[in-house]
Amino acid sequence: MIRFDQVTKRYADGTTAVDGLSFEVAEGELVTLVGPSGCGKTTTMMMVNRLIEPTSGRIYVDGEDIATVDPVKLRRRIGYVIQQVGLFPHRTILDNTATVPALIGWKKAKARARAAELLDLVGLDPSTYGDRYPEQLSGGQRQRVGVARALAADPPVLLMDEPFGAVDPVVREQLQDEFLRMQAAVRKTVLLVTHDIEEAVRLGDRIAVYGQGRIEQFDTPGAVLGTPATPYVAEFVGADRGLKRLSVTRIEPDDLEQPAVARLDESADRAAARMRESGARWAVVLDAQGDLHGWVGLDEAALAGQDGRVTDLAHRMNAWVPVGAPLKQAFGVMLQHDAGWVAVLDGSRFLGVLTPAKLHEALRRSVDADAQGIGRDEVTFDSVADA
Ligand SMILES: Nc1ncnc2c1ncn2[C@@H]1O[C@H](COP(=O)(O)OP(=O)(O)OP(=O)(O)O)[C@@H](O)[C@H]1O
Ligand SMILES: [Mg+2]
């Protein structure tokens, strides 16, 4: 969808901002450009909508060499969230959002209806915020308006330059989550600039790690964190890249252990017998549908004996995560509840438990898979043990 072919940008004063850049962004893909200040990220982005012209090389959007496309027409197909948001201070939020549709000649009512729909999409109630001015919004809300405005004309391509840069870390994570949810629904082709490796990893399907005007590595977040291509990349992603990797590696059913199970409708001594059989000190309690109800300990089940019923003994289970959640979330839940394991659910159905040992194994498996360029389920346990 977007292709750079040997693109170089040299500014009039001789600064080479971008040097022989070649990469491709697939349709519906979100690629993050990450690197230190001044490495050429904004320059890269502004060449896509021809706000900056390359010195040499070609850029293609949807197969077309953009040097041959009228810049105004080109920009209609490309939403742009600029660094520092850049809302018009004397226009209302609704009118700010409707800027592009109005520019390209939509009827006023249609442009405003579309703007209201988009404000809603980014979590701002148009009846509350539509008539306000930018200065009457918080930083996070303004950034949401920036995103809504870029989406207003429904462009297939979205350029976002540090779209969540100007807010505190908590709001930032919230905006990132909202954006990911939205992107899953609208599937734009996105180039997103950030200087924050955490953000790059969190949002990107793939990441381009920039050195000075060049891409040092272009790969999935897992691969960049697991197998940095150069010492520069290793340094840039940081010594805690193993920890960061936890947030991009997802829990799969194969990672799970099957603990002892007690049924909600059985007697305590039968449950205790089953736990003893498997050498377990506790069991998860499931109902007839296989949904998680809670857990029960061996000692209390044994003590309650024949007359006791699992349903009366079961404790509520707070340490759980949905399947597909990042390993980091499971680790966080373990620490929060001081638990040696977390239950993993598919909806309310119990799938198994994740233990620290399994968590470590899942992480190693995904590092190996990325290094070998294969799927995680293709990594045999041996290769993990050998590594
Ligand atoms: N108009 C210009 N004339 C000369 N040099 C420029 C011009 N615009 C940018 N540069 C230089 O080009 C290099 C890349 O700039 P660019 O704005 O692309 O960096 P960036 O990666 O977006 O940085 P930041 O993270 O600080 O936004 C920098 O060294 C910058 O000083
Ligand atoms: Mg920049």
Side-chain angles (χ1 to χ4, degrees):
M1 188 69 175
I2 304 174
R3 186 156 71 87
F4 275 66
D5 183 18
Q6 288 298 320
V7 175
T8 294
K9 174 63 190 181
R10 213 166 285 116
Y11 285 107
D13 66 355
T15 308
T16 304
V18 163
D19 190 12
L21 206 61
S22 295
F23 68 93
E24 201 168 340
V25 184
E27 188 170 344
E29 187 180 30
L30 197 169
V31 168
T32 49
L33 309 182
V34 65
S37 186
C39 68
K41 305 181 297 293
T42 297
T43 302
T44 302
M45 183 143 291
M46 289 173 90
M47 287 191 292
V48 178
N49 58 12
R50 293 192 61 185
L51 289 172
I52 294 176
E53 298 290 350
T55 310
S56 64
R58 310 222 157 271
I59 301 169
Y60 301 85
V61 171
D62 209 4
E64 252 181 320
D65 180 346
I66 60 167
T68 67
V69 180
D70 172 32
V72 176
K73 283 195 183 133
L74 178 70
R75 284 173 210 147
R76 284 179 197 169
R77 288 190 273 151
I78 302 177
Y80 186 29
V81 183
I82 59 177
Q83 210 166 351
Q84 314 300 350
V85 191
L87 299 180
F88 301 111
H90 304 299
R91 284 195 201 162
T92 65
I93 295 307
L94 197 69
D95 287 339
N96 260 290
T97 309
T99 303
V100 180
L103 266 180
I104 63 179
W106 288 22
K107 288 251 159 52
K108 194 159 184 185
K110 187 182 166 199
R112 297 185 125 229
R114 172 70 179 160
E117 184 186 314
L118 279 154
L119 287 174
D120 213 29
L121 186 72
V122 298
L124 294 174
D125 179 2
S127 63
T128 308
Y129 297 101
D131 294 332
R132 292 199 194 176
Y133 291 89
E135 62 170 15
Q136 297 168 309
L137 261 53
S138 74
Q141 289 167 337
R142 277 200 288 269
Q143 297 214 309
R144 289 195 181 105
V145 177
V147 174
R149 184 176 59 179
L151 284 169
D154 200 19
V157 174
L158 205 52
L159 307 176
M160 309 177 82
D161 199 346
E162 306 249 3
F164 315 120
V167 289
D168 64 75
V170 176
V171 174
R172 189 170 193 167
E173 242 182 67
Q174 227 175 324
L175 289 174
Q176 290 169 348
D177 282 345
E178 281 167 16
F179 179 67
L180 279 178
R181 236 173 287 134
M182 206 170 70
Q183 167 64 359
V186 299
R187 275 282 148 213
K188 302 291 178 191
T189 303
V190 186
L191 259 186
L192 185 148
V193 163
T194 174
H195 57 256
D196 175 9
I197 183 72
E198 305 266 359
E199 179 163 278
V201 159
R202 213 148 170 244
L203 297 179
D205 296 315
R206 287 189 296 167
I207 307 178
V209 183
Y210 272 58
Q212 216 41 253
R214 298 189 319 117
I215 292 179
E216 297 268 334
Q217 186 168 10
F218 188 64
D219 216 327
T220 59
V224 169
L225 294 175
T227 47
T230 62
Y232 170 87
V233 176
E235 167 119 5
F236 188 76
V237 299
D240 60 343
R241 63 193 168 85
L243 266 180
K244 291 193 181 103
R245 229 190 126 90
L246 281 174
S247 48
V248 297
T249 308
R250 298 188 175 280
I251 301 167
E252 291 176 7
D254 285 350
D255 300 329
L256 307 180
E257 270 179 35
Q258 296 305 323
V261 169
R263 305 213 67 93
L264 194 55
D265 56 6
E266 72 186 349
S267 69
D269 65 340
R270 279 195 49 197
R274 188 129 19 78
M275 283 184 250
R276 279 202 198 91
E277 239 167 66
S278 53
R281 302 292 309 167
W282 54 272
V284 294
V285 176
L286 304 184
D287 70 12
Q289 282 78 48
D291 287 358
L292 179 67
H293 185 82
W295 65 277
V296 63
L298 171 61
D299 294 343
E300 55 191 348
L303 200 66
Q306 234 173 351
D307 302 328
R309 292 173 49 76
V310 169
T311 185
D312 300 323
L313 296 173
H315 304 275
R316 197 185 148 79
M317 166 99 86
N318 294 316
W320 66 272
V321 291
V323 68
L327 294 177
K328 183 179 173 191
Q329 191 179 336
F331 191 45
V333 169
M334 267 182 217
L335 293 176
Q336 184 190 345
H337 296 284
D338 196 16
W341 48 274
V342 289
V344 177
L345 306 184
D346 180 6
S348 56
R349 197 164 58 88
F350 175 78
L351 295 181
V353 297
L354 192 69
T355 61
K358 284 286 182 187
L359 191 146
H360 179 227
E361 192 189 307
L363 198 59
R364 292 296 296 274
R365 223 185 259 268
S366 81
V367 171
D368 268 27
D370 277 334
Q372 297 171 38
I374 57 177
R376 188 162 131 206
D377 53 354
E378 294 171 70
V379 177
T380 62
F381 197 79
D382 279 353
S383 70
V384 173
D386 293 345

